[in-house]
Amino acid sequence: MTYLLKKVEHDELKPRSFIEQKKDGLKLRNPNKIDYILKIEKLWEEYAFTRSKQTQLRLLKTLNFTIRQKAYSWEKKWKKKRLSHADFESVFFEEAWKLCDAYNHYGDFYFYETLLLAWKRRGTDITRKLQTKKGGFEAELLPLLPETAEYLSNDIDIEEDIVNRHLVTQILNNESLTEKERHLLREIYKNPDASYLELAETIGLNHHEQVRRMLRQIKKKLSYILL
């Protein structure tokens, strides 16, 4: 009995590992989502170990349903202000993609929990811009439809919808584009069925062939994204 008592006392004094403490915190914060959060964490660990597009895509695909759910939730609150789920979905997906490399697993919060905080910040940023009437140009570009990407990916075989949204997000945030090029992309978004002639007239070009050349120039600038 004395031996067993000493063993229990020794185990109680033994410091808990960081992983155990982190998991204990998760049980208190999100007791109903433990399995899902740990599943996402494991997928991130696979990506962190390999740094391959395949493992990253697997992680983002698993998050895809949640991203859409969160986007529709924000839409319900702001639909009267003409904000749709697409406005939020594009930036939420961007945050997930960026966090793949920015996340530090030695922090107190798991990848998914960190992502929730990032989504809340970005969602607030979008609504703040609307309320203060700032960032109008960015607000017009956020709900980009898949049709826009078709103008830029004629020679690219990308079947996964999630990859296309990732591509669109990178395109819109690329700093190498001129205002004229951004104007063209915005018009394509507004009217995806427009012909090259109609696009040329709308953005002030003299000939529809200039639209073709501009799109080829955009592709060159974004070649590292489209590979």
Side-chain angles (χ1 to χ4, degrees):
M1 289 294 295
T2 303
Y3 171 77
L4 290 176
L5 179 60
K6 288 182 178 180
K7 186 177 187 302
V8 170
E9 290 175 346
H10 175 74
D11 289 341
E12 289 177 349
L13 293 174
K14 186 178 179 180
R16 296 176 62 77
S17 69
F18 170 76
I19 295 177
E20 292 173 324
Q21 292 180 28
K22 187 172 182 177
K23 192 170 183 180
D24 286 344
L26 174 62
K27 291 177 181 178
L28 293 174
R29 294 188 301 269
N30 291 289
N32 299 323
K33 282 196 171 184
I34 294 175
D35 291 340
Y36 179 74
I37 293 174
L38 293 179
K39 176 183 177 180
I40 295 298
E41 192 74 8
K42 185 176 180 179
L43 289 172
W44 176 84
E45 290 173 354
E46 291 177 2
Y47 168 71
F49 181 75
T50 62
R51 296 293 172 178
S52 69
K53 290 184 179 180
Q54 290 78 10
T55 54
Q56 184 184 45
L57 183 59
R58 193 179 303 124
L59 169 59
L60 295 175
K61 277 187 173 181
T62 304
L63 287 167
N64 192 35
F65 178 74
T66 302
I67 290 174
R68 291 186 175 183
Q69 275 193 321
K70 295 295 181 183
Y72 276 108
S73 177
W74 279 82
E75 179 189 55
K76 287 181 181 179
K77 298 177 183 178
W78 294 93
K79 196 171 185 179
K80 291 183 179 179
K81 297 293 184 179
R82 300 199 312 178
L83 284 175
S84 73
H85 70 277
D87 297 323
F88 300 102
E89 188 173 332
S90 62
V91 294
F92 289 174
F93 181 83
E94 179 190 2
E95 285 301 312
W97 171 68
K98 286 163 49 177
L99 191 62
C100 287
D101 291 321
Y103 173 64
N104 180 1
H105 66 289
Y106 289 112
D108 294 329
F109 297 96
Y110 287 87
F111 180 94
Y112 181 75
E113 294 178 296
T114 307
L115 186 57
L116 288 180
L117 294 174
W119 285 343
K120 185 176 181 179
R121 287 195 297 268
R122 289 301 300 273
T124 301
D125 287 342
I126 293 174
T127 57
R128 185 181 294 120
K129 285 182 180 180
L130 178 67
Q131 289 173 306
T132 58
K133 296 183 180 180
K134 293 181 181 179
F137 177 73
E138 291 83 356
E140 289 181 8
L141 284 176
L142 283 174
L144 187 67
L145 297 176
E147 286 86 348
T148 306
E150 293 178 5
Y151 280 84
L152 301 176
S153 58
N154 298 329
D155 301 320
I156 304 168
D157 183 16
I158 302 179
E159 297 180 357
E160 296 89 346
D161 177 57
I162 193 169
V163 173
N164 284 329
R165 290 201 306 279
H166 178 191
L167 174 65
V168 170
T169 299
Q170 287 183 285
I171 288 171
L172 294 181
N173 290 323
N174 191 278
E175 297 179 353
S176 68
L177 298 179
T178 66
E179 287 302 317
K180 199 75 168 180
E181 291 165 342
R182 290 179 183 274
H183 189 186
L184 174 59
L185 295 181
R186 182 171 57 180
E187 292 304 323
I188 291 173
Y189 155 64
K190 289 180 178 179
N191 187 6
D193 296 322
S195 65
Y196 286 141
L197 178 60
E198 291 171 328
L199 289 171
E201 292 176 350
T202 302
I203 67 174
L205 299 177
N206 297 324
H207 197 276
H208 70 274
E209 190 60 33
Q210 290 178 277
V211 174
R212 293 181 184 274
R213 289 198 294 268
M214 187 176 293
L215 288 172
R216 285 197 294 267
Q217 185 63 29
I218 292 174
K219 283 187 178 183
K220 289 181 181 179
K221 290 183 178 181
L222 304 175
S223 60
Y224 73 97
I225 294 177
L226 303 179
L227 289 176

